[in-house]
Amino acid sequence: MAASGESDPEGLCGPERAGAGGLALLGLAPSAPSCPHGPALLFVKTSQGREEGRRFYACSACRDRKDCNFFQWEDEKVSETRLAAREEYNRNHRPSFTHRQNVERLHEMIQSKASQEEDFKVRSLLLDIDFRYSQFYTEDEFCHYNMFNHYFFGGKAARETCRKFLYQDNGERVIMVTDPPFGGLVEALASSFKKLMAMWKETEKEGQDNQEMPMFWIFPYFFESRILEFFPSFTMMDYQVDYDNHALYKHGKTGRRQSPVRIFTNLTPSMIVLPVEEGYRFCTICQRYVSSGNQHCEICNSCTSKDGRQWKHCVLCNKCVKPSWFHCNNCNCCTLSNHTCEKTDAGCFVCGKAGHKRSTCPSLSCTRAACQADKKQRQKTLKRIKMGICKRSLMKHAIFFRKKVKNKKKKK
Protein backbone atom coordinates (compact mmCIF):
# COMPACT_ATOMS: atom_id res chain seq x y z
CA MET A 1 0.00 0.00 0.00
CA ALA A 2 1.38 3.38 -0.98
CA ALA A 3 0.38 6.52 0.92
CA SER A 4 1.28 9.76 -0.78
CA GLY A 5 0.79 13.47 -0.23
CA GLU A 6 1.46 16.80 -1.88
CA SER A 7 4.40 18.85 -0.69
CA ASP A 8 3.16 22.09 0.77
CA PRO A 9 5.02 25.41 0.75
CA GLU A 10 6.10 25.00 4.36
CA GLY A 11 4.45 28.15 5.53
CA LEU A 12 2.49 27.55 8.71
CA CYS A 13 4.23 24.34 9.79
CA GLY A 14 5.89 25.76 12.89
CA PRO A 15 6.71 23.88 16.10
CA GLU A 16 4.33 21.07 16.96
CA ARG A 17 5.20 20.72 20.60
CA ALA A 18 3.65 22.95 23.21
CA GLY A 19 7.09 23.62 24.71
CA ALA A 20 8.23 25.58 21.66
CA GLY A 21 7.23 29.07 20.71
CA GLY A 22 4.90 29.40 17.78
CA LEU A 23 2.03 27.04 17.04
CA ALA A 24 1.04 23.90 18.89
CA LEU A 25 -1.02 21.18 17.24
CA LEU A 26 -3.83 20.03 19.51
CA GLY A 27 -5.06 17.32 17.17
CA LEU A 28 -8.32 16.51 15.42
CA ALA A 29 -11.42 17.39 17.44
CA PRO A 30 -14.57 15.23 17.06
CA SER A 31 -16.70 18.19 15.99
CA ALA A 32 -14.05 19.90 13.86
CA PRO A 33 -15.29 22.00 10.91
CA SER A 34 -14.27 20.98 7.39
CA CYS A 35 -12.56 22.67 4.48
CA PRO A 36 -12.07 21.23 0.96
CA HIS A 37 -9.31 19.01 2.42
CA GLY A 38 -11.52 17.40 5.07
CA PRO A 39 -11.77 18.03 8.83
CA ALA A 40 -9.55 20.87 10.03
CA LEU A 41 -6.94 20.56 12.79
CA LEU A 42 -6.99 22.47 16.06
CA PHE A 43 -4.07 24.83 16.79
CA VAL A 44 -3.09 27.34 19.44
CA LYS A 45 -0.30 29.88 19.76
CA THR A 46 2.26 29.07 22.46
CA SER A 47 5.07 30.85 24.24
CA GLN A 48 7.45 29.13 26.70
CA GLY A 49 5.18 26.11 27.01
CA ARG A 50 1.97 28.07 27.67
CA GLU A 51 -1.02 28.68 25.47
CA GLU A 52 -1.57 32.24 24.33
CA GLY A 53 -4.75 33.50 22.77
CA ARG A 54 -7.75 31.63 21.44
CA ARG A 55 -7.64 28.19 19.89
CA PHE A 56 -8.44 28.03 16.19
CA TYR A 57 -9.03 25.58 13.34
CA ALA A 58 -6.90 25.59 10.19
CA CYS A 59 -6.52 23.38 7.13
CA SER A 60 -4.85 20.04 7.82
CA ALA A 61 -3.09 19.67 4.46
CA CYS A 62 -2.03 23.21 3.45
CA ARG A 63 0.22 25.24 5.70
CA ASP A 64 0.07 28.25 3.38
CA ARG A 65 -3.07 30.40 3.50
CA LYS A 66 -2.69 31.02 -0.25
CA ASP A 67 -3.47 27.35 -0.91
CA CYS A 68 -6.33 27.11 1.59
CA ASN A 69 -7.47 30.14 3.57
CA PHE A 70 -9.78 28.24 5.93
CA PHE A 71 -9.79 29.69 9.47
CA GLN A 72 -12.26 29.47 12.35
CA TRP A 73 -12.00 30.14 16.06
CA GLU A 74 -12.79 27.15 18.26
CA ASP A 75 -15.51 29.03 20.17
CA GLU A 76 -16.86 30.83 17.11
CA LYS A 77 -20.56 30.40 16.35
CA VAL A 78 -21.24 29.84 12.66
CA SER A 79 -24.69 30.49 11.20
CA GLU A 80 -26.61 27.88 9.21
CA THR A 81 -26.36 30.02 6.09
CA ARG A 82 -22.59 30.19 6.38
CA LEU A 83 -22.35 26.44 7.01
CA ALA A 84 -24.41 25.71 3.90
CA ALA A 85 -22.24 28.04 1.82
CA ARG A 86 -19.11 26.37 3.20
CA GLU A 87 -20.36 22.88 2.32
CA GLU A 88 -21.13 24.03 -1.22
CA TYR A 89 -17.66 25.56 -1.51
CA ASN A 90 -16.01 22.37 -0.23
CA ARG A 91 -17.83 20.28 -2.82
CA ASN A 92 -16.72 22.52 -5.69
CA HIS A 93 -13.07 22.90 -4.63
CA ARG A 94 -11.60 19.41 -4.40
CA PRO A 95 -7.82 19.39 -3.77
CA SER A 96 -5.62 18.79 -6.79
CA PHE A 97 -1.86 19.02 -7.15
CA THR A 98 0.67 18.49 -9.92
CA HIS A 99 3.85 16.84 -8.65
CA ARG A 100 4.94 13.19 -8.88
CA GLN A 101 6.47 11.26 -6.00
CA ASN A 102 8.30 8.00 -5.42
CA VAL A 103 5.25 6.10 -4.15
CA GLU A 104 3.22 7.15 -7.19
CA ARG A 105 5.94 5.82 -9.50
CA LEU A 106 6.07 2.62 -7.45
CA HIS A 107 2.30 2.27 -7.76
CA GLU A 108 2.47 2.83 -11.52
CA MET A 109 5.23 0.24 -11.89
CA ILE A 110 3.28 -2.38 -9.92
CA GLN A 111 0.07 -1.73 -11.84
CA SER A 112 1.88 -1.88 -15.19
CA LYS A 113 3.69 -5.11 -14.38
CA ALA A 114 0.54 -6.72 -12.97
CA SER A 115 -1.32 -5.97 -16.21
CA GLN A 116 1.45 -7.42 -18.37
CA GLU A 117 2.36 -10.54 -16.36
CA GLU A 118 -0.37 -12.87 -15.13
CA ASP A 119 1.86 -14.59 -12.56
CA PHE A 120 2.87 -11.27 -10.96
CA LYS A 121 1.34 -11.50 -7.46
CA VAL A 122 2.12 -8.02 -6.12
CA ARG A 123 -0.84 -5.67 -5.75
CA SER A 124 -0.92 -2.03 -4.61
CA LEU A 125 -3.41 0.54 -3.37
CA LEU A 126 -2.63 4.24 -3.76
CA LEU A 127 -3.86 6.69 -1.11
CA ASP A 128 -3.44 10.27 -2.29
CA ILE A 129 -5.05 13.68 -1.82
CA ASP A 130 -5.09 14.37 -5.58
CA PHE A 131 -8.57 13.30 -6.76
CA ARG A 132 -7.44 13.25 -10.40
CA TYR A 133 -5.90 9.80 -9.91
CA SER A 134 -9.46 8.48 -9.97
CA GLN A 135 -9.41 9.13 -13.73
CA PHE A 136 -6.57 6.64 -14.22
CA TYR A 137 -7.19 3.98 -11.55
CA THR A 138 -10.22 1.96 -10.51
CA GLU A 139 -11.85 2.15 -7.09
CA ASP A 140 -9.86 -0.93 -6.03
CA GLU A 141 -6.56 0.75 -6.96
CA PHE A 142 -6.97 4.29 -5.62
CA CYS A 143 -8.56 5.99 -2.59
CA HIS A 144 -8.90 9.76 -2.30
CA TYR A 145 -7.25 10.27 1.09
CA ASN A 146 -5.78 13.02 3.29
CA MET A 147 -2.91 11.63 5.38
CA PHE A 148 -2.89 14.61 7.78
CA ASN A 149 -6.31 13.87 9.29
CA HIS A 150 -6.94 10.24 8.18
CA TYR A 151 -9.86 11.39 6.07
CA PHE A 152 -11.29 9.31 3.22
CA PHE A 153 -13.08 11.65 0.80
CA GLY A 154 -15.08 8.70 -0.51
CA GLY A 155 -16.58 8.04 2.92
CA LYS A 156 -17.38 4.52 4.12
CA ALA A 157 -16.97 3.00 0.65
CA ALA A 158 -13.35 4.18 0.33
CA ARG A 159 -12.57 3.15 3.89
CA GLU A 160 -13.99 -0.29 3.19
CA THR A 161 -11.82 -0.54 0.06
CA CYS A 162 -8.73 0.15 2.15
CA ARG A 163 -9.84 -2.32 4.82
CA LYS A 164 -10.42 -5.10 2.26
CA PHE A 165 -6.99 -4.51 0.76
CA LEU A 166 -5.39 -4.88 4.20
CA TYR A 167 -7.49 -7.98 4.92
CA GLN A 168 -6.22 -9.88 1.87
CA ASP A 169 -4.28 -13.03 2.82
CA ASN A 170 -5.09 -12.32 6.48
CA GLY A 171 -2.96 -9.19 6.42
CA GLU A 172 0.25 -11.04 5.56
CA ARG A 173 2.91 -9.62 3.22
CA VAL A 174 1.50 -6.09 3.40
CA ILE A 175 3.86 -3.11 3.55
CA MET A 176 3.03 0.59 3.64
CA VAL A 177 5.31 2.96 1.70
CA THR A 178 4.64 6.61 2.46
CA ASP A 179 6.27 9.73 1.02
CA PRO A 180 4.62 12.68 2.79
CA PRO A 181 5.40 16.38 2.25
CA PHE A 182 8.49 17.48 4.15
CA GLY A 183 6.78 20.63 5.42
CA GLY A 184 3.96 18.61 7.01
CA LEU A 185 3.36 18.18 10.71
CA VAL A 186 5.04 14.99 11.93
CA GLU A 187 2.53 14.56 14.75
CA ALA A 188 -0.43 14.68 12.36
CA LEU A 189 1.23 12.23 9.98
CA ALA A 190 2.13 9.83 12.79
CA SER A 191 -1.46 9.88 14.04
CA SER A 192 -2.81 8.89 10.61
CA PHE A 193 -0.19 6.19 10.12
CA LYS A 194 -1.04 4.68 13.49
CA LYS A 195 -4.70 4.54 12.49
CA LEU A 196 -3.82 2.73 9.25
CA MET A 197 -1.70 0.33 11.30
CA ALA A 198 -4.66 -0.23 13.61
CA MET A 199 -6.81 -1.13 10.59
CA TRP A 200 -4.20 -3.70 9.57
CA LYS A 201 -3.86 -5.04 13.12
CA GLU A 202 -7.49 -6.12 13.07
CA THR A 203 -6.53 -8.73 10.46
CA GLU A 204 -3.85 -10.38 12.59
CA LYS A 205 -3.99 -14.00 13.59
CA GLU A 206 -3.64 -15.23 17.15
CA GLY A 207 -0.15 -15.05 18.59
CA GLN A 208 0.83 -11.94 16.55
CA ASP A 209 -0.31 -9.26 18.97
CA ASN A 210 3.10 -7.58 19.20
CA GLN A 211 3.66 -7.19 15.47
CA GLU A 212 3.46 -3.92 13.54
CA MET A 213 2.52 -3.48 9.93
CA PRO A 214 5.80 -3.18 7.97
CA MET A 215 6.32 0.40 6.89
CA PHE A 216 8.70 2.63 4.92
CA TRP A 217 8.50 6.33 5.82
CA ILE A 218 10.50 8.54 3.41
CA PHE A 219 11.54 11.76 5.19
CA PRO A 220 14.63 14.00 5.82
CA TYR A 221 17.13 12.63 8.34
CA PHE A 222 16.93 15.71 10.59
CA PHE A 223 13.40 14.61 11.59
CA GLU A 224 14.78 11.38 13.09
CA SER A 225 14.18 12.35 16.74
CA ARG A 226 10.58 13.39 16.01
CA ILE A 227 9.78 10.18 14.13
CA LEU A 228 11.36 7.98 16.83
CA GLU A 229 9.30 9.87 19.39
CA PHE A 230 6.13 8.40 17.86
CA PHE A 231 7.61 5.15 16.47
CA PRO A 232 10.43 3.96 18.79
CA SER A 233 10.79 0.71 16.83
CA PHE A 234 11.82 2.55 13.64
CA THR A 235 15.37 2.69 12.28
CA MET A 236 16.79 5.21 9.81
CA MET A 237 18.52 3.66 6.82
CA ASP A 238 21.55 5.27 5.17
CA TYR A 239 20.04 5.09 1.69
CA GLN A 240 19.80 8.56 0.13
CA VAL A 241 16.49 9.07 -1.67
CA ASP A 242 16.69 11.30 -4.75
CA TYR A 243 13.94 13.31 -6.48
CA ASP A 244 14.44 13.97 -10.19
CA ASN A 245 11.98 16.88 -10.19
CA HIS A 246 13.28 18.58 -7.03
CA ALA A 247 16.41 20.76 -7.13
CA LEU A 248 17.22 20.38 -3.42
CA TYR A 249 16.73 16.63 -3.07
CA LYS A 250 18.83 15.11 -5.84
CA HIS A 251 22.45 14.63 -6.82
CA GLY A 252 24.01 16.85 -9.43
CA LYS A 253 25.06 20.42 -10.10
CA THR A 254 21.61 21.89 -9.48
CA GLY A 255 21.00 20.00 -6.24
CA ARG A 256 22.76 19.20 -2.98
CA ARG A 257 25.94 17.17 -2.91
CA GLN A 258 24.01 14.53 -0.99
CA SER A 259 20.27 14.16 -0.56
CA PRO A 260 19.09 14.59 3.06
CA VAL A 261 16.09 12.30 2.48
CA ARG A 262 16.21 8.88 4.13
CA ILE A 263 14.01 5.81 4.70
CA PHE A 264 12.66 5.11 8.18
CA THR A 265 11.38 1.59 8.72
CA ASN A 266 10.34 -0.89 11.41
CA LEU A 267 11.82 -3.82 9.46
CA THR A 268 15.03 -5.45 10.65
CA PRO A 269 17.88 -3.39 9.11
CA SER A 270 19.84 -6.50 8.05
CA MET A 271 16.92 -7.49 5.80
CA ILE A 272 17.32 -4.41 3.59
CA VAL A 273 20.17 -4.75 1.10
CA LEU A 274 21.58 -1.50 -0.27
CA PRO A 275 23.46 -1.41 -3.62
CA VAL A 276 27.22 -1.67 -3.19
CA GLU A 277 27.83 -0.05 -6.60
CA GLU A 278 26.13 3.13 -5.31
CA GLY A 279 28.50 3.48 -2.36
CA TYR A 280 27.05 1.34 0.42
CA ARG A 281 28.69 -1.41 2.49
CA PHE A 282 27.58 -3.92 5.10
CA CYS A 283 28.75 -3.31 8.67
CA THR A 284 29.18 -6.68 10.39
CA ILE A 285 29.08 -5.09 13.85
CA CYS A 286 25.89 -3.02 13.31
CA GLN A 287 24.44 -5.76 11.09
CA ARG A 288 23.11 -3.31 8.53
CA TYR A 289 24.09 -1.61 5.29
CA VAL A 290 25.58 1.87 5.72
CA SER A 291 27.14 4.53 3.52
CA SER A 292 30.78 3.90 2.60
CA GLY A 293 31.80 7.11 4.38
CA ASN A 294 29.94 6.13 7.56
CA GLN A 295 32.75 4.56 9.59
CA HIS A 296 32.04 2.52 12.71
CA CYS A 297 32.87 4.30 15.98
CA GLU A 298 34.32 1.92 18.59
CA ILE A 299 33.42 4.26 21.46
CA CYS A 300 29.76 4.72 20.41
CA ASN A 301 29.71 1.13 19.08
CA SER A 302 27.70 2.26 16.08
CA CYS A 303 27.98 3.75 12.61
CA THR A 304 26.98 7.23 13.74
CA SER A 305 26.99 9.38 10.59
CA LYS A 306 23.62 10.80 9.51
CA ASP A 307 24.57 12.60 6.30
CA GLY A 308 26.93 10.07 4.69
CA ARG A 309 30.19 11.76 5.74
CA GLN A 310 32.63 10.34 8.27
CA TRP A 311 31.80 11.87 11.65
CA LYS A 312 34.30 12.30 14.48
CA HIS A 313 33.92 11.42 18.15
CA CYS A 314 34.00 14.18 20.77
CA VAL A 315 35.14 12.89 24.16
CA LEU A 316 33.72 15.90 26.01
CA CYS A 317 30.27 15.61 24.38
CA ASN A 318 30.50 11.79 24.55
CA LYS A 319 29.08 11.43 21.04
CA CYS A 320 30.04 11.68 17.38
CA VAL A 321 29.55 15.03 15.65
CA LYS A 322 29.86 16.43 12.14
CA PRO A 323 33.45 16.84 10.88
CA SER A 324 33.01 20.62 10.52
CA TRP A 325 32.04 21.05 14.19
CA PHE A 326 34.41 21.86 17.05
CA HIS A 327 33.94 21.76 20.81
CA CYS A 328 33.32 25.18 22.37
CA ASN A 329 34.28 25.41 26.04
CA ASN A 330 32.03 28.43 26.56
CA CYS A 331 28.94 26.70 25.16
CA ASN A 332 30.08 23.30 26.50
CA CYS A 333 29.05 21.59 23.27
CA CYS A 334 30.20 21.01 19.70
CA THR A 335 29.14 23.58 17.14
CA LEU A 336 30.42 25.51 14.12
CA SER A 337 33.67 27.42 14.54
CA ASN A 338 32.17 30.79 13.51
CA HIS A 339 29.26 30.71 15.97
CA THR A 340 28.56 33.34 18.65
CA CYS A 341 28.87 32.18 22.25
CA GLU A 342 26.64 34.81 23.84
CA LYS A 343 23.35 33.17 24.77
CA THR A 344 21.00 36.13 24.72
CA ASP A 345 17.25 35.92 24.87
CA ALA A 346 15.52 36.61 21.62
CA GLY A 347 14.42 40.22 21.68
CA CYS A 348 11.67 42.13 19.95
CA PHE A 349 12.11 42.52 16.20
CA VAL A 350 11.17 46.22 16.43
CA CYS A 351 13.20 47.58 19.36
CA GLY A 352 15.46 44.59 20.14
CA LYS A 353 14.52 44.50 23.82
CA ALA A 354 13.47 41.29 25.59
CA GLY A 355 10.29 40.68 27.57
CA HIS A 356 7.68 41.35 24.89
CA LYS A 357 6.73 40.42 21.35
CA ARG A 358 6.62 42.53 18.24
CA SER A 359 2.83 42.79 18.34
CA THR A 360 2.93 44.32 21.86
CA CYS A 361 6.02 46.48 21.38
CA PRO A 362 5.59 50.00 22.89
CA SER A 363 7.64 51.49 20.06
CA LEU A 364 5.37 49.83 17.54
CA SER A 365 2.27 51.17 19.27
CA CYS A 366 3.75 54.68 19.22
CA THR A 367 4.66 54.27 15.60
CA ARG A 368 1.16 53.05 14.82
CA ALA A 369 -0.34 56.04 16.64
CA ALA A 370 1.92 58.42 14.74
CA CYS A 371 1.05 56.72 11.45
CA GLN A 372 -2.64 56.96 12.23
CA ALA A 373 -2.26 60.65 13.10
CA ASP A 374 -0.37 61.27 9.85
CA LYS A 375 -3.02 59.37 7.95
CA LYS A 376 -5.80 61.49 9.45
CA GLN A 377 -3.87 64.66 8.72
CA ARG A 378 -3.33 63.60 5.10
CA GLN A 379 -7.02 62.79 4.77
CA LYS A 380 -7.96 66.24 6.14
CA THR A 381 -5.49 67.96 3.80
CA LEU A 382 -6.77 65.99 0.84
CA LYS A 383 -10.32 66.84 1.78
CA ARG A 384 -9.49 70.55 1.98
CA ILE A 385 -7.78 70.43 -1.39
CA LYS A 386 -10.80 68.71 -2.94
CA MET A 387 -13.14 71.26 -1.37
CA GLY A 388 -10.96 74.11 -2.67
CA ILE A 389 -10.99 72.69 -6.19
CA CYS A 390 -14.74 72.23 -6.02
CA LYS A 391 -15.29 75.82 -4.80
CA ARG A 392 -13.00 77.26 -7.47
CA SER A 393 -14.85 75.37 -10.20
CA LEU A 394 -18.17 76.62 -8.89
CA MET A 395 -16.86 80.19 -8.78
CA LYS A 396 -15.64 79.93 -12.39
CA HIS A 397 -19.02 78.66 -13.41
CA ALA A 398 -20.73 81.53 -11.57
CA ILE A 399 -18.44 84.14 -13.12
CA PHE A 400 -18.96 82.73 -16.58
CA PHE A 401 -22.68 82.69 -16.04
CA ARG A 402 -22.70 86.32 -14.86
CA LYS A 403 -20.63 87.47 -17.82
CA LYS A 404 -22.98 85.70 -20.16
CA VAL A 405 -25.99 87.40 -18.59
CA LYS A 406 -24.35 90.84 -18.87
CA ASN A 407 -23.53 90.29 -22.51
CA LYS A 408 -27.13 89.45 -23.21
CA LYS A 409 -28.29 92.66 -21.52
CA LYS A 410 -25.88 94.74 -23.64
CA LYS A 411 -27.27 93.22 -26.85
CA LYS A 412 -30.77 94.28 -25.86
Side-chain angles (χ1 to χ4, degrees), residues 16 42 94 119 199 244-245 272 387:
E16 301 170 48
L42 187 62
R94 291 180 293 179
D119 58 343
M199 292 176 65
D244 295 337
N245 60 344
I272 304 173
M387 289 293 294

Side-chain angles (χ1 to χ4, degrees), residues 78-89:
V78 183
S79 64
E80 295 293 334
T81 305
R82 185 178 170 189
L83 285 174
R86 180 183 292 174
E87 291 179 1
E88 181 66 20
Y89 179 84

Side-chain angles (χ1 to χ4, degrees), residues 113-131:
K113 200 166 184 178
S115 62
Q116 296 174 3
E117 303 178 14
E118 294 182 359
D119 58 343
F120 189 71
K121 302 297 183 183
V122 180
R123 297 292 180 269
S124 63
L125 175 67
L126 177 65
L127 308 182
D128 197 279
I129 198 171
D130 194 336
F131 77 95

Side-chain angles (χ1 to χ4, degrees), residues 107 111 123-127 131-144 158 161:
H107 180 66
Q111 295 296 324
R123 297 292 180 269
S124 63
L125 175 67
L126 177 65
L127 308 182
F131 77 95
R132 293 175 297 183
Y133 282 108
S134 59
Q135 302 174 10
F136 308 100
Y137 301 112
T138 64
E139 294 179 355
D140 296 333
E141 299 170 345
F142 167 73
C143 289
H144 194 193
T161 299

Side-chain angles (χ1 to χ4, degrees), residues 310-327:
Q310 182 178 352
W311 287 20
K312 60 182 181 181
H313 189 86
C314 178
V315 180
L316 298 176
C317 293
N318 195 26
K319 65 178 182 179
C320 287
V321 296
K322 295 180 179 180
S324 57
W325 286 19
F326 299 90
H327 192 86

Side-chain angles (χ1 to χ4, degrees), residues 108-398:
E108 290 176 3
M109 183 192 70
I110 294 174
Q111 295 296 324
S112 176
K113 200 166 184 178
S115 62
Q116 296 174 3
E117 303 178 14
E118 294 182 359
D119 58 343
F120 189 71
K121 302 297 183 183
V122 180
R123 297 292 180 269
S124 63
L125 175 67
L126 177 65
L127 308 182
D128 197 279
I129 198 171
D130 194 336
F131 77 95
R132 293 175 297 183
Y133 282 108
S134 59
Q135 302 174 10
F136 308 100
Y137 301 112
T138 64
E139 294 179 355
D140 296 333
E141 299 170 345
F142 167 73
C143 289
H144 194 193
Y145 176 77
N146 184 352
M147 66 169 61
F148 290 100
N149 54 11
H150 189 59
Y151 180 70
F152 288 88
F153 291 88
K156 294 182 179 179
R159 186 184 294 271
E160 183 64 17
T161 299
C162 181
R163 189 190 67 82
K164 286 182 178 180
F165 180 86
L166 296 175
Y167 273 40
Q168 291 178 8
D169 300 326
N170 295 322
E172 295 181 357
R173 295 177 295 180
V174 175
I175 184 169
M176 179 167 64
V177 182
T178 176
D179 188 9
F182 302 151
L185 300 172
V186 177
E187 184 176 352
L189 292 170
S191 176
S192 297
F193 296 158
K194 286 183 177 180
K195 291 177 181 178
L196 289 173
M197 287 180 166
M199 292 176 65
W200 173 86
K201 205 170 183 64
E202 296 175 359
T203 69
E204 285 187 318
K205 298 178 182 179
E206 295 181 2
Q208 297 180 341
D209 296 337
N210 296 327
Q211 287 189 0
E212 287 183 332
M213 178 173 65
M215 177 178 171
F216 286 151
W217 183 344
I218 303 173
F219 225 53
Y221 72 82
F222 39 81
F223 282 99
E224 181 184 18
S225 60
R226 290 291 286 146
I227 293 177
L228 296 182
E229 181 180 338
F230 298 102
F231 295 102
S233 62
F234 277 31
T235 304
M236 187 184 76
M237 307 302 299
D238 272 21
Y239 187 76
Q240 300 175 11
V241 181
D242 289 337
Y243 291 82
D244 295 337
N245 60 344
H246 202 302
L248 293 178
Y249 303 118
K250 69 175 181 179
H251 291 283
K253 296 180 180 180
T254 57
R256 297 171 182 257
R257 185 180 304 173
Q258 295 173 330
S259 172
V261 185
R262 301 290 186 270
I263 298 177
F264 296 86
T265 180
N266 53 1
L267 295 175
T268 305
S270 59
M271 296 173 56
I272 304 173
V273 180
L274 301 183
V276 178
E277 62 274 11
E278 294 184 17
Y280 300 97
R281 63 176 183 85
F282 186 78
C283 179
T284 55
I285 303 175
C286 296
Q287 285 294 301
R288 69 185 182 96
Y289 278 85
V290 297
S291 176
S292 56
N294 190 359
Q295 300 299 317
H296 191 88
C297 177
E298 296 180 356
I299 302 174
C300 297
N301 193 26
S302 175
C303 293
T304 54
S305 175
K306 305 296 183 183
D307 56 9
R309 297 178 295 174
Q310 182 178 352
W311 287 20
K312 60 182 181 181
H313 189 86
C314 178
V315 180
L316 298 176
C317 293
N318 195 26
K319 65 178 182 179
C320 287
V321 296
K322 295 180 179 180
S324 57
W325 286 19
F326 299 90
H327 192 86
C328 177
N329 294 324
N330 294 331
C331 300
N332 195 27
C333 66
C334 285
T335 183
L336 294 172
S337 58
N338 58 350
H339 77 288
T340 54
C341 295
E342 294 86 6
K343 294 184 178 180
T344 58
D345 296 332
C348 173
F349 287 107
V350 178
C351 65
K353 297 180 180 179
H356 63 271
K357 292 184 177 181
R358 177 184 182 279
S359 57
T360 58
C361 179
S363 301
L364 185 63
S365 60
C366 296
T367 305
R368 285 177 178 172
C371 290
Q372 289 178 356
D374 292 341
K375 186 177 179 181
K376 289 182 179 179
Q377 185 64 32
R378 287 196 300 269
Q379 288 177 348
K380 288 181 179 179
T381 305
L382 184 62
K383 189 175 180 180
R384 290 173 182 171
I385 293 172
K386 288 182 177 179
M387 289 293 294
I389 294 173
C390 185
K391 287 181 178 178
R392 283 197 296 271
S393 62
L394 289 174
M395 289 175 65
K396 288 180 180 179
H397 178 74

